[in-house]
Structure formats: structure tokens, C-alpha cells
């Protein structure tokens, strides 16, 4: 028996699982309404640490721990249902998705089977790979974090039980604090690391493990337990509804819900509470029982609905069908996959290995085949496949070396991006990824060297404001401006993804740029779509709807362009992509027979070159062109 622990079934923990999975599901359905719903995964981590850590400690203290038995139980719990979902996702993807997405899906399937999804998505998801956000196996990253934790947790806990039992409590606390400190640092310096990597997430699982080390009589009075339980429930509910992941996740924002989850488990462990009784109600327990399968099925249901309907948002009418499908699939998975495989009398060890090994081999083989065949493009008309292939060109841009993203620190900036060969005309390119995409067009100008300091998803006018000055983006911009004052460029080109027009900030930026003493060229907003343009054009080709993309055009650009132009001309020469690509009703997403974009908003190299030449030829006088040397 664990100190303060129990081997009895806890229905309130199944209720907590229900809270976790429903929070995640609701967040994925309507992230605009439930900002903190994603913390359901953090709740799962605490629960998992408590349950699995308890098993390890209990058996280690009794001298009965077996690595073989431990991993067999993990395989029975996790493997079969995951295999079914991965096979179903691969089958549906083979019918529904374009070659590039299917190729990536094959790799994601391999990663999921190897419990390395978090490492795969950590390495592949970035600002320029937005397609990864629609991968139907994206949610399996959390399984990777858990299983990687349980590679090391048994070794650590057994060592502590056998050699330092008296020091187990302080050792676990120190490890938790070290992991939390690392995670807080990662949120600021490397947010993708903070989200996906296991060493920054370990503190959440350790919080669950530590519950077993709390003395049994610590919460001895019923009144104290009730007060703590209700306070924890309020904090957890407030976090789910109010926490904003945009402020950095998990890090400090996850501390209140993780602590609240731990306290709810602890108060239920040390005696019943009214909160525990609420969590133990039959509907909550039932959802908790199927929560693992519901977690596995809910995200593919959402992704494939979006795929079939070609939508980036779910309508209210779509929600009942998606929710109904996910719950039915989850129940069937729980009843006919999870339950039988967890029963050793029904499925013995050899049968388990045969079924899971065979299923894993099939998934791995199919995933490898999809990767090798580059997504089986023969499934589509060659022209459809050709159009869709433009969506995979983001990583083929050599000028990407000069743009920083939220993966980077200021020290990662390539100083060579601000250098230029002697005798070359120097253009300084400033802004975000929309500035970076014009790099090949500017580099085509005669006797020109493009120097650049760009930061993805960062507006230069904000970066110079008091709010943005201390960010990496703001520091990078100041670095570039200081360099420009010392080695004055021949032309400054600036642009970004214009979503809001803040007149005071724009004019302040203009005044700052004018101090450098070089001509300024400002490029206005690019026509933007709600979905990836190559995908829309390929779908239009399949459905014989050549104007399909126009339904997804974001139309704020007309009014913004008209307001921006006269303000920009107060300090710069202005170029308008809207005027070059659009009439009063529609915009042309094509460059000849090729898509002008590789995603929703960024031009291909050919698109950038063509649009830039068109803007210069149609919108500038010959005198201005000669003055700025744009030909």
C-alpha cells in the first residue's frame, strides 16, 4: 500500500478524464469560445502521472515491479486503439487528401506508431508549414510525451525506492521544479520546444506522481477537503474558459490548472468530497471510460470534415454530426478494441504481440510506401497533382535563411544577411514573411544585393512601439536600422501582413525609416485566402469549379488598401498587390498556368517576381522607376 495511496477504483478520476477530453474536444471544435480548452491535455498528464506513477511505486515498494509486465500493460492500454485509428486515418487520407498531405501523413503515421509524434511535429511544424495543423494525427503528440516519460520514470522511481527512499520526496520536487523552470524558459525562448518536448512537460506528470507522497492525514478534516476541492474546481474551470494559449503555453499559465487537478485527485484520495461525487456521476464516468478512444477519434473527425467540406471553420450545423460520429466511434473502439485487449484472459501475451505487431507492421509499411511514392499522385489527374504540388514549396526557398521565426533567438540571426558585396547596389528588406517572399523579385534587379532582417508574424510598426521593442522581433529591427544608419542602403523595402491599420504607428515607422536617408518602397497588403491556395485550385480542378478559390478570399484588403495608400505616400513610394491582382470583385490567384501562392498568403518565387514586375510597370512612372532603379 502506498503512503496515502489506494488501489481502489476511483470513479472521480474517470470524471476528471471526462472534463479533460471534453475540454480538448470543445476547444478543437470552437477555439474562439473556449480559449483554454487545450489544457485538457495537461489534465491528462497529471492523471497519467498519478495512476501510472502509483503502479510503479506500489510494485517497486513491494519488490514486485517487472519491466516486462509494465510495458505489456502500457501496450494493452495504448496500442490497439491507436493502431485502429492510424489505419482508419491512412485509409481515409488515401481517398481524400492531396499527394503532399498524404506523403506527410505517412510519416506522421510512422511517428505515431513509434510513439514519436511529438518529436516529428516538433521538427516539422513551423510558421511556414501551416498544413501540419490539419494533419489528422497531430493530436498523437501527447501520446509521444507520455510514453517517452514512461521510458525513464520506472528507472528513476525504482532507483529512488531502492537507494534513497527517504529522499524520494525532495528529489521528485527538485525534478519537478527543474522541469517547470525549463518549460517557463522555453515558453519565452523556444515555444515550440515548450509545447512538444518531454523534458519541459515532465513536471505535469511528476505533479501526479507526487500526490502519492503526500501524508495521508494532511487533509484530515472534511471541511478542509471540501474547501480545497471547490477552490480547485473553480480554478480549473476558470482556466479552461479564460486561459489564453497565445500568452505562452504551458509554462506559468499551466501551473494553476495542473495544481488544481492535483488537488482534486488528492482531496478525493484522502476522503470523499462533494466535488468528487459530482465527478463520479454516471454520465461523467462513462465519458471518462471512453476518453482515450474519444481523444483518438475526435481530431480526425474534425480534420476530415474540413477536408470534405473545404472549410477552415466548423458551422453550428456541422457540430452535432462531428460530435455524434466521434462518440460512436469512441464507444465502439472502447467496447470492441480497448476492453478485449486489456483482458489477459481473452487475449494473452502472444496474441497481443501478434495483433499489435502485425498492425504496427502494416502501418509502418503503408506509411513508408506513401513517403516513398510521394503521396501516390497517380490517384489524381496529373494536372490536379501538379497544381497541388505547389503547396509543398515553402521549404525550397533558399532566401528563408534570412527570416527568423518563434523557434529562433536573436543570436541565431545570420549576420551575413545584412552584408553586401562591394560595388553592388544594396536593398534593405524589412518586415515579416510577406517581406521575405519578395526577396527573389528584388534579387532579380540588375547589380543588386538584397540585405534583409525579417521576422515571421511580426509587424515592424508594432516592433518599434513600447510593447514590441523588447521582443526578439523588435531587437532584430533595431539591429537592422542601426546597421543601415552606418552603411546606408540604396533602397529600403518594407511590407508585412497588413491586417490592421494603426495610423500613428505607421507614420512613426515612416519617420524612423526616413532618418536613414534612403528612398523607401512600401508594399501594401497581399490578397489573402482562408485556405491554402494550391489546395483550393486543385480542388476546383477536381470539382470543375474554376472560381472556387474566390469563395475563400478574405475581402478586407480593398478597404485597407485604399486607406493605406495615401498614408504610405507621406514617406514612401507605394505599390499595391491588390491593384496588380484584383478587380472590384475578384483576385487572380494564378501566374499563367501556375498558382501564385504556396499557401494562403505567401507567393511562390515565380509569383513574387511576376507580381512585383507588374506592380512596378503599372503603378510607377518611368521617372520613379529610374530613380529607384527598379529595372
Amino acid at each position: 500500500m502506498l503512503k496515502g495511496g489506494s488501489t481502489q477504483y476511483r470513479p472521480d478520476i474517470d470524471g476528471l478524464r471526462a472534463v479533460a477530453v471534453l475540454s480538448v474536444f470543445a476547444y478543437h471544435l470552437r477555439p474562439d469560445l473556449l480559449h483554454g480548452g487545450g489544457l485538457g491535455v495537461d489534465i491528462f498528464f497529471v492523471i497519467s502521472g498519478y495512476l501510472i506513477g502509483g503502479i510503479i511505486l506500489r510494485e517497486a515498494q513491494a519488490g514486485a515491479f517487472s519491466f516486462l509486465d509494465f510495458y505489456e500493460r502500457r501496450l494493452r492500454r495504448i496500442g490497439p486503439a491507436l493502431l485502429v485509428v492510424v489505419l482508419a486515418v491512412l485509409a481515409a487520407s488515401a481517398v481524400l487528401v492531396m499527394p503532399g498531405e498524404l506523403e506527410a501523413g505517412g510519416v506522421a503515421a510512422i511517428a505515431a506508431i513509434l510513439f514519436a509524434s511529438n518529436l516529428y511535429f516538433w521538427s516539422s511544424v513551423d510558421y511556414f508549414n501551416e498544413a501540419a495543423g490539419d494533419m489528422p494525427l497531430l493530436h498523437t503528440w501527447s501520446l509521444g510525451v507520455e510514453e517517452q516519460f514512461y521510458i525513464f520514470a520506472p528507472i528513476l522511481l525504482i532507483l529512488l525506492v531502492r537507494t534513497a527512499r527517504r529522499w524520494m520526496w525532495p528529489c521528485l520536487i527538485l525534478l519537478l521544479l527543474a522541469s517547470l523552470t525549463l518549460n517557463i524558459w522555453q515558453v519565452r525562448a523556444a515555444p515550440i520546444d515548450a509545447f512538444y518536448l518531454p523534458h519541459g512537460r515532465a513536471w505535469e506528470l511528476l505533479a501526479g506522481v507526487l500526490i502519492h507522497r503526500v501524508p495521508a492525514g494532511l487533509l484530515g478534516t472534511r471541511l478542509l477537503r471540501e474547501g480545497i476541492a471547490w477552490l480547485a474546481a473553480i480554478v480549473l474551470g476558470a482556466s479552461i474558459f479564460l486561459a489564453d494559449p497565445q500568452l505562452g503555453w504551458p509554462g506559468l499559465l499551466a501551473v494553476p490548472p495542473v495544481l488544481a487537478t492535483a488537488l482534486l485527485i488528492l482531496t478525493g484520495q484522502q476522503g470523499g468530497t462533494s466535488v468528487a461525487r459530482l465527478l463520479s456521476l454516471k454520465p461523467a464516468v462513462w465519458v471518462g471510460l471512453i476518453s482515450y478512444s474519444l481523444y483518438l477519434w475526435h481530431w480526425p473527425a474534425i480534420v476530415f470534415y474540413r477536408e470534405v467540406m473545404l472549410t477552415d471553420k466548423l458551422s453550428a450545423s456541422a457540430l452535432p454530426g462531428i460530435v455524434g460520429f466521434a462518440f460512436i466511434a469512441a464507444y465502439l473502439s472502447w467496447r470492441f478494441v480497448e476492453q478485449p485487449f486489456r483482458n489477459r484472459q481473452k487475449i494473452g501475451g502472444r496474441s497481443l504481440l501478434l495483433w499489435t505487431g502485425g498492425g504496427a507492421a502494416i502501418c509502418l509499411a503503408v506509411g513508408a510506401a506513401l513517403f516513398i511514392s510521394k503521396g501516390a499522385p497517380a490517384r489524381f489527374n496529373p494536372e490536379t497533382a501538379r497544381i497541388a504540388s505547389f503547396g509543398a514549396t515553402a521549404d525550397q526557398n533558399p532566401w528563408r535563411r534570412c527570416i527568423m521565426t518563434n523557434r529562433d533567438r536573436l543570436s541565431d540571426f545570420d549576420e551575413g544577411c545584412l552584408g553586401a558585396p562591394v560595388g553592388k547596389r544594396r536593398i534593405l528588406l524589412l518586415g515579416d514573411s510577406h517581406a521575405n517572399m519578395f526577396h527573389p523579385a528584388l534579387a532579380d534587379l540588375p547589380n543588386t544585393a538584397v540585405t534583409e532582417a525579417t521576422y515571421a508574424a511580426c509587424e515592424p510598426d508594432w516592433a518599434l512601439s513600447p510593447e514590441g521593442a523588447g521582443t526578439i522581433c523588435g531587437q532584430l529591427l533595431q539591429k537592422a536600422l542601426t546597421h543601415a544608419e552606418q552603411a546606408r542602403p540604396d533602397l529600403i523595402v518594407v511590407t508585412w501582413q497588413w491586417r490592421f491599420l494603426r495610423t500613428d504607428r505607421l507614420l512613426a515607422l515612416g519617420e524612423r525609416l526616413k532618418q536613414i536617408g534612403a528612398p523607401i518602397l512600401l508594399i501594401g497588403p497581399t490578397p489573402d485566402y482562408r485556405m491554402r491556395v494550391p489546395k483550393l485550385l486543385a480542388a476546383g480542378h477536381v470539382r470543375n469549379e474554376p472560381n472556387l478559390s474566390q469563395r475563400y478570399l478574405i475581402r478586407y484588403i480593398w478597404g485597407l488598401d485604399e486607406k493605406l495608400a495615401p498614408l504610405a505616400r507621406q514617406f514612401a513610394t507605394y505599390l499595391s498587390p491588390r491593384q496588380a491582382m484584383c478587380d472590384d470583385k475578384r483576385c487572380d490567384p494564378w501566374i499563367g498556368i501556375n498558382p501564385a501562392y504556396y499557401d494562403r498568403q505567401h507567393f511562390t518565387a515565380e509569383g513574387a517576381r511576376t507580381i512585383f514586375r507588374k506592380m512596378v510597370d503599372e503603378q510607377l512612372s518611368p521617372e520613379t522607376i529610374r530613380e529607384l532603379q527598379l529595372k
Side-chain angles (χ1 to χ4, degrees):
M1 180 72 66
L2 286 172
K3 188 178 182 180
S6 173
T7 60
Q8 295 180 346
Y9 168 65
R10 295 272 304 274
D12 59 311
I13 289 182
D14 271 327
L16 263 180
R17 282 194 176 114
V19 172
V21 74
L22 292 178
S23 297
V24 174
F25 199 171
Y27 173 70
H28 285 154
L29 289 171
R30 294 298 299 271
D32 55 323
L33 297 182
L34 199 68
H35 298 295
L39 68 82
V41 173
D42 306 76
I43 298 173
F44 273 128
F45 285 158
V46 180
I47 295 171
S48 181
Y50 173 74
L51 295 175
I52 307 305
I55 291 172
I56 298 169
L57 286 171
R58 183 168 58 251
E59 294 181 356
Q61 288 174 344
F65 183 83
S66 164
F67 281 95
L68 185 62
D69 286 346
F70 176 76
Y71 288 115
E72 180 188 339
R73 288 195 296 266
R74 295 303 296 161
L75 181 60
R76 288 181 181 276
R77 178 73 176 96
I78 302 296
L82 176 64
L83 286 170
V84 170
V85 170
V86 170
L87 286 169
V89 163
L90 288 173
S93 298
V95 176
L96 296 173
V97 306
M98 293 294 170
E101 294 166 300
L102 186 57
E103 178 185 358
V107 180
I110 294 172
I113 296 303
L114 298 177
F115 296 112
S117 288
N118 60 320
L119 303 180
Y120 168 66
F121 290 114
W122 167 75
S123 66
S124 62
V125 173
D126 66 16
Y127 181 81
F128 295 96
N129 188 15
E130 60 176 21
D134 285 334
M135 283 188 176
L137 293 174
L138 177 63
H139 63 318
T140 60
W141 71 267
S142 64
L143 303 183
V145 170
E146 274 199 53
E147 297 315 305
Q148 289 153 27
F149 178 81
Y150 290 123
I151 292 174
F152 300 102
I155 300 172
L156 171 66
L157 294 177
I158 289 170
L159 283 174
L160 289 174
V161 166
R162 292 180 180 177
T163 64
R165 188 174 299 197
R166 291 178 59 189
W167 294 97
M168 180 179 293
W169 173 267
C171 286
L172 292 178
I173 291 177
L174 284 175
L175 286 172
L176 183 150
L177 292 176
S179 175
L180 175 58
T181 301
L182 172 65
N183 194 244
I184 293 169
W185 175 83
Q186 287 174 327
V187 164
R188 181 174 179 83
I192 295 176
D193 295 10
F195 190 85
Y196 285 111
L197 294 185
H199 42 291
R201 287 281 191 170
W203 69 275
E204 297 176 311
L205 291 117
L206 285 169
V209 176
L210 277 165
I211 296 170
H212 293 287
R213 308 306 303 166
V214 177
L218 185 66
L219 305 179
T221 67
R222 181 182 181 86
L223 182 61
L224 180 60
R225 289 197 306 273
E226 285 286 346
I228 292 175
W230 277 106
L231 178 62
I234 292 169
V235 169
L236 188 60
S239 299
I240 291 172
F241 282 96
L242 301 177
D244 185 0
Q246 297 300 319
L247 299 176
W249 196 266
L252 286 173
L253 275 179
V255 171
V258 166
L259 180 60
T261 302
L263 288 173
L264 286 172
I265 296 172
L266 178 63
T267 52
Q269 173 181 279
Q270 299 206 348
T273 67
S274 54
V275 176
R277 288 194 293 274
L278 286 173
L279 291 171
S280 300
L281 292 175
K282 287 185 177 180
V285 171
W286 183 79
V287 174
L289 289 172
I290 67 167
S291 59
Y292 174 56
S293 284
L294 183 58
Y295 180 77
L296 288 178
W297 281 102
H298 86 281
W299 181 244
I302 292 171
V303 169
F304 285 124
Y305 176 86
R306 289 174 177 166
E307 191 72 34
V308 171
M309 302 305 294
L310 273 181
T311 182
D312 60 330
K313 292 185 178 180
L314 302 176
S315 64
S317 60
L319 301 185
I322 294 172
V323 172
F325 170 83
F327 268 91
I328 291 171
Y331 173 76
L332 294 175
S333 174
W334 173 77
R335 176 69 177 82
F336 297 107
V337 180
E338 285 192 63
Q339 292 284 81
F341 275 94
R342 294 176 70 178
N343 188 330
R344 292 188 177 188
Q345 278 66 48
K346 287 187 176 181
I347 298 178
R350 290 186 177 180
S351 296
L352 173 69
L353 289 177
L354 179 65
W355 280 102
T356 56
I362 292 172
C363 290
L364 293 172
V366 173
L370 294 176
F371 175 73
I372 293 169
S373 68
K374 297 190 179 298
R379 296 172 298 130
F380 294 96
N381 175 285
E383 180 63 6
T384 300
R386 187 191 72 82
I387 295 170
S389 70
F390 280 75
T393 63
D395 290 326
Q396 300 171 14
N397 300 340
W399 54 91
R400 281 269 305 277
R401 74 182 182 90
C402 289
I403 184 168
M404 300 183 71
T405 71
N406 60 358
R407 283 184 178 272
D408 302 315
R409 296 185 290 269
L410 187 62
S411 58
D412 296 325
F413 180 68
D414 186 344
E415 297 290 343
C417 292
L418 288 177
V422 176
K424 289 275 190 177
R425 179 169 173 267
R426 292 166 299 173
I427 294 179
L428 175 61
L429 181 60
L430 300 173
D432 63 2
S433 57
H434 285 233
N436 176 259
M437 74 183 179
F438 280 109
H439 187 122
L442 299 170
D444 281 352
L445 296 172
N447 194 36
T448 293
V450 179
T451 62
E452 178 181 343
T454 51
Y455 193 101
C458 180
E459 304 161 341
D461 61 340
W462 173 82
L464 286 180
S465 70
E467 302 96 309
T471 64
I472 296 177
C473 171
Q475 294 169 20
L476 176 65
L477 182 59
Q478 290 288 2
K479 179 185 184 74
L481 294 176
T482 300
H483 181 276
E485 288 170 342
Q486 296 171 353
R488 199 181 80 176
D490 297 287
L491 177 66
I492 299 172
V493 178
V494 61
T495 188
W496 60 89
Q497 185 184 20
W498 303 87
R499 287 297 179 89
F500 305 101
L501 180 58
R502 299 176 179 89
T503 302
D504 54 340
R505 286 186 180 176
L506 176 64
L507 295 179
L509 173 65
E511 288 300 316
R512 181 69 178 85
L513 294 176
K514 283 165 62 176
Q515 293 174 16
I516 297 172
I520 303 166
L521 182 67
L522 190 141
I523 302 175
T526 300
D528 194 355
Y529 294 79
R530 297 200 311 274
M531 295 185 68
R532 299 186 300 281
V533 174
K535 183 172 185 173
L536 290 173
L537 299 179
H541 192 265
V542 169
R543 303 180 186 198
N544 196 28
E545 295 183 53
N547 292 321
L548 176 67
S549 63
Q550 299 308 309
R551 300 210 305 260
Y552 298 85
L553 181 65
I554 300 175
R555 298 184 176 274
Y556 72 91
I557 187 174
W558 277 267
L560 181 58
D561 186 60
E562 291 175 358
K563 294 177 182 177
L564 174 61
L567 293 171
R569 292 189 179 108
Q570 295 183 34
F571 63 89
T573 300
Y574 184 68
L575 291 180
S576 169
R578 177 188 73 85
Q579 293 180 35
M581 302 179 68
C582 310
D583 57 27
D584 291 338
K585 295 182 179 179
R586 66 185 300 277
C587 297
D588 188 0
W590 295 93
I591 298 296
I593 62 171
N594 296 329
Y597 299 75
Y598 63 75
D599 63 10
R600 295 182 297 112
Q601 54 189 271
H602 297 99
F603 294 142
T604 61
E606 179 189 12
R609 290 182 176 113
T610 303
I611 297 302
F612 184 78
R613 287 195 298 266
K614 195 170 187 294
M615 289 191 295
V616 169
D617 290 342
E618 294 179 357
Q619 299 174 25
L620 300 184
S621 67
E623 293 78 12
T624 301
I625 293 173
R626 284 194 297 271
E627 178 186 351
L628 300 179
Q629 300 180 47
L630 295 178
K631 278 196 173 181

